[in-house]
Amino acid sequence: SNSPIQAPSTTNRLLLSVNSSQQIEKMSSSNMSVKWQHEGEFRRFGLTLPAQGAYEALLIKCDGMVTNFRGNLAWKDSDGDLIKLSSDMELEEAIRNASNGVLRLFTVGE
């Protein structure tokens, strides 16, 4: 029988677009070396930062290293000022200013 060629169903198209966006996210994730000073101790670790939710990924990593981590993270800018992190955008700026590929972070108070 000659059945007409059917366009992909909506479900298939949706899956294709989800897979494409996941691939784009994978391509745009980056690996970062982090040196973190927390309560007088230094910790060094690698971190894969996703394209979206990078700040949350960083907090999850810190919480995994220091149980119930509740501090605030900050980085030092070129003037030596501590700049508090609270979003992906601020983290991106800190990464852009990282020296020698190492993001240096500090635990700070409120």
Side-chain angles (χ1 to χ4, degrees), residues 75-94:
W75 61 283
K76 277 189 184 172
D77 69 6
S78 58
D79 298 326
D81 297 322
L82 280 173
I83 310 297
K84 199 187 297 189
L85 292 174
S86 62
S87 69
D88 283 359
M89 246 172 43
E90 291 169 327
L91 179 55
E92 285 170 24
E93 180 66 17

Side-chain angles (χ1 to χ4, degrees), residues 33-36 42-46 65 100-102 104:
S33 181
V34 179
K35 190 174 182 181
W36 174 33
F42 285 94
R43 296 166 190 269
R44 194 171 184 138
F45 55 92
M65 298 183 84
N100 303 322
V102 177
R104 288 173 174 78

Side-chain angles (χ1 to χ4, degrees), residues 36-52:
W36 174 33
Q37 184 178 351
H38 176 72
E39 296 181 355
E41 291 183 10
F42 285 94
R43 296 166 190 269
R44 194 171 184 138
F45 55 92
L47 180 65
T48 301
L49 295 170
Q52 294 176 338

